[in-house]
Amino acid sequence: MSGTASAADVRVPAPTAAELLAFVRRTAEDTALVASLPLDPEGRTWLRLEGPGGSEAWLIAWPPGTGTGWHDHAESTGAFTVAAGTLREHSLAARLPAGGWKTLELNEDIDRTRRLATGQGRAFGRHHVHEVLNESGHEHAVSVHAYYPPLPQIRRFSRTGAVLRLEQTERPEDWQ
């Protein structure tokens, strides 16, 4: 038996949330890349990127008045940074159960809101539930997102007051 490792034996460590945030910040500063993304006045457009350490990354354009709706990223950690414009993030300050529920009643103090302008971003852990919105009435926003491991699924939720309801689960083939 040989004492040397083959290339297949070398494992790259998973990127941390801080490394994903550093990547999306650097990528958001690439003005040529950001300018290359087509802007559609009717709906979001995106470009898939290679992220660090096997992560998946996306450059996303947000027309005025568009958003994601409430969702999570399953077992993936992630980060995003605004490359142009301003986005608002509404999130829940609690980790939801991975499964086994259809409806949850949320505590009063669970809501968090952030306004993120060009150059601002954030990292988040597994099962982070949020919605991201471009509230501008006239200006596109552009952002860079990265996830590790690559998104195995996205759970989509509806929200009425304090009630969060699981509506559907999407898999990569639904958005790629």
Side-chain angles (χ1 to χ4, degrees):
M1 182 172 253
S2 168
T4 61
S6 71
D9 294 334
V10 177
R11 301 215 190 278
V12 175
T16 65
E19 290 167 334
L20 293 175
L21 184 57
F23 168 80
V24 297
R25 285 182 170 153
R26 282 191 312 274
T27 304
E29 292 172 354
D30 184 339
T31 55
L33 176 65
V34 171
S36 74
L37 184 62
L39 303 180
D40 180 339
E42 301 299 318
R44 287 186 292 156
T45 54
W46 55 86
L47 176 65
R48 186 164 181 171
L49 307 170
E50 288 295 320
S55 64
E56 116 179 68
W58 299 87
L59 178 66
I60 302 174
W62 308 75
T66 59
T68 59
W70 286 95
H71 67 283
D72 75 1
H73 307 98
E75 296 291 323
S76 298
T77 58
F80 72 99
T81 293
V82 177
T86 301
L87 293 172
R88 179 161 315 273
E89 179 196 34
H90 299 286
S91 63
L92 302 179
R95 185 173 166 183
L96 299 183
W101 62 275
K102 292 284 187 189
T103 303
L104 289 176
E105 188 162 345
L106 304 172
N107 293 334
E108 281 184 29
D109 59 349
I110 199 166
D111 290 298
R112 300 293 182 267
T113 298
R114 288 180 178 83
R115 181 182 174 277
L116 300 162
T118 300
Q120 295 180 315
R122 70 173 311 245
F124 51 85
R126 301 170 4 168
H127 302 291
H128 175 69
V129 176
H130 69 166
E131 69 173 346
V132 179
L133 309 160
N134 177 2
E135 296 177 326
S136 171
H138 54 82
E139 181 181 292
H140 268 78
V142 177
S143 56
V144 182
H145 303 247
Y147 309 99
Y148 188 86
L151 294 172
Q153 68 180 22
I154 292 176
R155 295 186 299 177
R156 298 220 173 258
F157 307 98
S158 63
R159 179 151 183 209
T160 305
V163 176
L164 188 70
R165 180 171 287 110
L166 176 63
E167 296 292 343
Q168 72 182 58
T169 300
E170 298 174 1
R171 306 244 177 251
E173 56 271 16
D174 297 323
W175 65 78
Q176 293 182 1

